[in-house]
Amino acid sequence: MLSKADNEFLTRAGKGTPMGEMLRRFWMPALLSEELPERDGPPKKIRLLGEDLLAFRQTDGRVGIVEPHCPHRGANLYYGRNENCGLRCSFHGWKFDIDGNCVDLPTSPPESTYKETIKLLSYPVCEWADMVWVYMGPREHMPELPQLELGLVPAGHRYVSKKWQDCNWVQSLEGAIDTAHFSFLHAIPTKDEAARLDILRKTSAIGQEGGLADRSRWVTDDPRPKFRIQGHDAGLVIAAARKTDTTDLYWRIAQYLAPNHALVPVAFPGEVYHGQTWVPVDDTSCWIYTYSWVPDRPLTNAERTKYASGLSLHAEIDEHYVPKRNMRNDYMIDRELQKTLSYTGISGVSDQDAAIQDSQGAIQDRTAEHLGPTDVGIIEFRKLVMAAARALQQGEPPRAAAAAARYAVRAGGWIAAPEKDLTTVMTERFGHRHGYVGGEYGLPE
């Protein structure tokens, strides 16, 4: 458990808080590229880390993220005109580009240099991997963009979505890196193997049906996986070994990448990889960006259609990116289904995760929790992220922010003899003890 002070330290992401300042030292998604579909289109209201902002795509296609209020007399630029590479205030026509420069001041004489003294707060933006990324920290400490593999593969090889979640970002991320919960939350309690396999086909993106059935059963049959944790430059390898039908062990290897990314431990070679990024809206809600990718082939239209309908970690969402199953309709829980074919009675892996994470409260009270042996990944995550925030308070920048290339890692599954340690398993499965694949894309080894 955590003290009340430590729980506050861990979960508060606003400007000026230790965790909020640490998060601001990293690039993070601000919105999907598809949310700004046209040049000179309407600006979009966004809220990140407790700050209200505007995003807009200007005439040349570049995206800006700026404060919403005109520095003249505070009118909201959301009502402004996006035209000719700038956002023009509808009140008195003051115009600003994506860098916050005042490029036109029609209320001042043409010879006036007053506009050169006017500046709108803007944040650095980079459009990459079908997302618009923003850096909200000190410019002099701006790192490189984290080289997650989904952004290194061709665009046709990936699918990216996002969804709203009604809880603090930390408990949602902790739910993702706690891979022990798969033995329960996502379990299919039926003894009918044909029915089990049919459900797995509809909810999982894993392609090998024989392996899929076996792996699902091993996860259900062994609810006490043995965890091994391994640190690296960008985060943590969180590996859990379960019993199989033989003496071999089934390893499910997740990756936590600082400060707010996690890769899922399901894919075997040739299968689809998945990951998520959590972006705090404020202390009690967050956006979750979910992505699936394949290194060596394009995703099919059928796969994309299934993801859009809620396959695997992706949620079925409305036009505002809010899941159709949410806390306002009790996630459409089906109590009859819960008795037979679903441990929760809730459809979809994403919605099952959300229901439980939201149920912990808007901000989980960790002073009342009781951790056990399968929570070691959660403990190590908290130690790592809180240590980084405390170090920043003492003037030491987050080390992971300077290791952009080391985000090119994979997570996934493997079967290995019981005498093999985690380093050997990682090397067998990924070709590197930390799962690093950057060399395949020309990044430094």
Side-chain angles (χ1 to χ4, degrees):
M1 65 179 67
L2 294 182
S3 67
K4 182 178 180 180
D6 278 350
N7 199 44
E8 290 280 314
F9 185 96
L10 176 65
T11 58
R12 301 297 181 180
K15 200 166 189 177
T17 65
M19 194 61 62
E21 292 304 306
M22 193 273 290
L23 289 169
R24 284 167 170 78
R25 292 299 186 96
F26 292 84
W27 288 89
M28 62 185 61
L31 64 166
L32 297 174
S33 293
E34 69 180 32
E35 295 181 74
L36 296 173
E38 58 179 308
R39 303 182 184 204
D40 293 337
K44 184 175 180 64
K45 297 177 183 178
I46 61 174
R47 184 170 169 81
L48 301 174
L49 302 177
E51 296 186 38
D52 291 314
L53 301 165
L54 284 181
F56 68 102
R57 189 182 297 279
Q58 66 178 21
T59 313
D60 60 8
R62 293 186 297 159
V63 174
I65 292 180
V66 299
E67 64 175 307
H69 295 288
C70 178
H72 178 206
R73 286 168 56 190
N76 198 312
L77 292 167
Y78 174 76
Y79 301 102
R81 299 170 58 89
N82 186 7
E83 58 183 21
N84 298 323
C85 284
L87 195 57
R88 187 183 294 277
C89 181
S90 292
F91 200 6
H92 293 91
W94 291 26
K95 182 179 175 181
F96 302 89
D97 65 14
I98 61 172
D99 297 315
N101 299 310
C102 184
V103 294
D104 189 23
L105 200 61
T107 56
S108 292
E111 66 275 11
S112 172
T113 61
Y114 183 43
K115 71 178 182 181
E116 297 172 10
T117 69
I118 306 298
K119 190 76 173 179
L120 184 70
L121 173 65
S122 68
Y123 288 120
V125 169
C126 181
E127 197 164 4
W128 187 73
D130 304 323
M131 292 175 277
V132 176
W133 296 70
V134 63
Y135 175 72
M136 298 171 66
R139 298 281 181 118
E140 65 271 21
H141 295 294
M142 185 169 65
E144 296 180 17
L145 203 67
Q147 296 298 291
L148 297 161
E149 189 181 20
L150 85 142
L152 302 175
V153 299
H157 292 220
R158 65 175 174 260
Y159 179 88
V160 183
S161 69
K162 82 173 192 177
K163 71 167 188 174
W164 176 270
Q165 184 131 351
D166 290 292
C167 71
N168 181 264
W169 73 280
V170 176
Q171 70 204 53
S172 184
L173 187 153
E174 287 182 343
I177 62 175
D178 161 29
T179 63
H181 79 265
F182 278 75
S183 297
F184 301 95
L185 182 64
H186 307 309
I188 303 168
T190 180
K191 301 296 183 182
D192 185 333
E193 287 302 315
R196 177 196 294 267
L197 185 56
D198 183 59
I199 294 170
L200 288 170
R201 287 194 196 104
K202 295 175 180 177
T203 59
S204 173
I206 300 174
Q208 299 175 6
E209 291 186 355
L212 173 59
D214 287 340
R215 288 179 244 165
S216 174
R217 181 166 44 79
W218 295 336
V219 168
T220 301
D221 290 348
D222 187 357
R224 293 177 291 276
K226 303 298 188 294
F227 278 84
R228 301 290 184 272
I229 312 296
Q230 193 176 82
H232 58 81
D233 290 343
L236 299 170
V237 172
I238 302 174
R242 285 180 168 89
K243 299 173 184 177
T244 66
D245 299 329
T246 68
T247 58
D248 288 341
L249 295 177
Y250 171 35
W251 287 88
R252 300 178 79 249
I253 303 162
Q255 293 267 9
Y256 161 69
L257 302 171
N260 56 341
H261 317 279
L263 307 183
V264 179
V266 296
F268 272 59
E271 295 176 352
V272 182
Y273 293 92
H274 307 282
Q276 293 177 296
T277 298
W278 290 260
V279 180
V281 174
D282 49 35
D283 292 338
T284 58
S285 58
C286 61
W287 289 111
I288 303 177
Y289 291 80
T290 301
Y291 29 89
S292 301
W293 76 95
V294 186
D296 52 6
R297 68 166 176 85
L299 290 169
T300 66
N301 289 335
E303 286 173 314
R304 294 176 183 279
T305 298
K306 289 179 180 179
Y307 291 140
S309 65
L311 180 70
S312 186
L313 291 180
H314 298 275
E316 186 179 8
I317 55 174
D318 65 17
E319 66 273 20
H320 304 294
Y321 300 95
V322 175
K324 293 185 177 180
R325 298 174 182 84
N326 56 66
M327 67 188 310
R328 283 158 287 281
N329 57 26
D330 290 326
Y331 311 91
M332 300 183 185
I333 187 169
D334 183 333
R335 294 296 186 180
E336 289 302 313
L337 184 68
Q338 189 176 26
K339 294 177 180 179
T340 55
L341 298 177
S342 168
Y343 201 80
T344 61
I346 297 169
S347 298
V349 171
S350 175
D351 298 323
Q352 291 164 1
D353 284 337
I356 293 304
Q357 293 160 9
D358 293 347
S359 76
Q360 295 171 283
I363 301 177
Q364 181 195 351
D365 179 7
R366 292 171 180 78
T367 67
E369 68 183 2
H370 296 79
L371 302 183
T374 62
D375 296 311
V376 61
I378 305 300
I379 294 169
E380 292 302 317
F381 155 73
R382 292 177 187 175
K383 287 165 58 177
L384 181 64
V385 74
M386 293 172 75
R390 290 193 171 106
L392 182 58
Q393 287 182 298
Q394 303 302 315
E396 181 183 338
R399 297 177 184 177
R406 293 296 159 176
Y407 284 73
V409 295
R410 289 177 189 160
W414 196 240
I415 299 170
E419 65 271 14
K420 293 181 178 178
D421 62 13
L422 178 57
T423 297
T424 302
V425 171
M426 292 291 292
T427 304
E428 280 186 1
R429 170 63 183 88
F430 304 108
H432 189 278
R433 64 193 179 100
H434 294 147
Y436 182 66
V437 293
E440 299 178 21
Y441 301 95
L443 297 176
E445 292 287 356

